[in-house]
């Protein structure tokens, strides 16, 4: 009796899953760009699918609706940020570089992530006025960064000119994030989110407070 031919189903499923992931990433990327350009409320699913060159039905199949797509954007951002926080343990400069340089690098990274996701974060901040839970995952990221950075710096915290160095480090990060969030949401000036001087002045503010 001849041996049965192996089923192509697993390979077909893997190919189908890969295509779905590719379309999902295209849609998320298009949504991120459009929300930054127009704001979440002014973007339609049809706008997103046109930018991503995907069928409207595909977007609804993958995300359900625009709210589902927004949740997916938040989840992707949270996963990416958690991975970066986890990678702090691999940053050898945290043990060697002057703390002022460490703070400059932290500010640079924070601003880069805010700028890359400004539409998503602006929408979440605006929505949190009526639905505080919208901001909880982002708040948790900030707190996790505070704890992880303090742990990685360890004995180097004593270089901070403050009676409670751990508290001071956390408050410096709070100053950075709150100033950046206000700039993102309200843009009060004189410095704006994409101004190169914003990084310099946030670093100066944090280092001055920490006595570095």
């Amino acid at each position: 009796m001849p041996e049965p031919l192996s089923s192509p189903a697993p390979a077909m499923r893997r190919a189908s899953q890969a295509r779905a992931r590719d379309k999902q990433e295209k849609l998320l990327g298009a949504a991120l760009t459009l929300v930054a350009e127009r704001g979440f409320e002014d973007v339609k699913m049809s706008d997103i699918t046109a930018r991503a060159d995907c069928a409207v039905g595909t977007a609804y199949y993958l995300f359900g609706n625009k709210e589902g797509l927004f949740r997916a954007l938040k989840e992707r951002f949270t996963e990416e940020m958690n991975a970066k926080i986890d990678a702090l343990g691999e940053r050898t400069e945290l043990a060697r570089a002057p703390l002022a340089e460490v703070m400059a690098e932290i500010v640079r990274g924070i601003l880069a992530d805010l700028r890359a996701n400004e539409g998503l974060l602006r929408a979440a901040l605006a929505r949190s006025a009526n639905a505080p839970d919208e901001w909880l995952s982002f708040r948790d990221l900030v707190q996790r960064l505070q704890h992880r950075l303090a742990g990685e710096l360890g004995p180097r915290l004593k270089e901070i000119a403050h009676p409670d160095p751990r508290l001071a480090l956390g408050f410096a990060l709070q100053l950075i994030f709150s100033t950046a969030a206000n700039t993102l949401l309200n843009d009060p000036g004189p410095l704006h989110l994409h101004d190169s001087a914003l990084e310099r002045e946030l670093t100066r503010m944090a280092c001055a407070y920490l006595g570095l």
Side-chain angles (χ1 to χ4, degrees):
M1 178 180 297
E3 295 184 4
L5 296 175
S6 59
S7 171
M12 293 175 64
R13 280 198 299 270
R14 287 193 296 271
S16 178
Q17 291 166 355
R19 287 193 297 270
R21 285 193 298 270
D22 181 61
K23 289 178 181 178
Q24 183 173 1
E25 285 303 308
K26 285 182 178 179
L27 288 162
L28 290 174
L32 198 62
T33 300
L34 286 169
V35 169
E37 292 174 357
R38 306 181 195 174
F40 178 75
E41 299 301 331
D42 292 332
V43 174
K44 301 176 182 178
M45 285 290 270
S46 57
D47 299 327
I48 295 168
T49 56
R51 181 69 65 94
D53 193 23
C54 290
V56 174
T58 300
Y60 281 100
Y61 173 76
L62 291 171
F63 301 107
N65 52 33
K66 196 170 79 164
E67 285 296 323
L69 195 152
F70 185 74
R71 287 193 298 272
L73 280 174
K74 287 176 61 177
E75 290 169 3
R76 186 176 73 163
F77 176 80
T78 301
E79 289 174 2
E80 290 174 351
M81 294 306 102
N82 274 320
K84 290 184 178 183
I85 294 170
D86 289 339
L88 283 175
E90 303 168 8
R91 302 281 294 276
T92 57
E93 70 270 20
L94 293 180
R96 298 198 307 265
L99 281 189
E101 292 183 13
V102 173
M103 290 308 301
E105 183 61 28
I106 293 296
V107 170
R108 188 174 303 117
I110 289 171
L111 287 179
D113 291 327
L114 287 178
R115 288 163 177 163
N117 297 274
E118 61 179 296
L120 167 66
L121 297 173
R122 189 179 293 117
L125 274 168
R127 289 153 65 99
S128 69
N130 297 316
D133 288 354
E134 288 283 357
W135 194 249
L136 286 181
S137 60
F138 303 108
R139 184 202 65 186
D140 292 344
L141 283 172
V142 175
Q143 293 177 348
R144 187 163 182 260
L145 173 61
Q146 292 172 354
H147 292 306
R148 185 61 186 264
L149 183 59
E152 292 298 331
L153 289 174
R156 299 201 62 198
L157 288 173
K158 64 184 180 184
E159 298 174 32
I160 295 173
H162 190 282
D164 189 341
R166 184 178 287 268
L167 172 66
L169 178 64
F171 186 61
L173 290 172
Q174 183 178 342
L175 288 172
I176 294 166
F177 275 106
S178 59
T179 302
N182 186 41
T183 302
L184 175 71
L185 184 61
N186 300 310
D187 197 22
L191 295 179
H192 310 288
L193 184 63
H194 291 274
D195 288 348
S196 59
L198 183 61
E199 178 185 323
R200 181 191 67 221
E201 295 307 316
L202 283 176
T203 301
R204 181 177 292 172
M205 175 182 70
C207 289
Y209 170 69
L210 295 171
L212 302 176

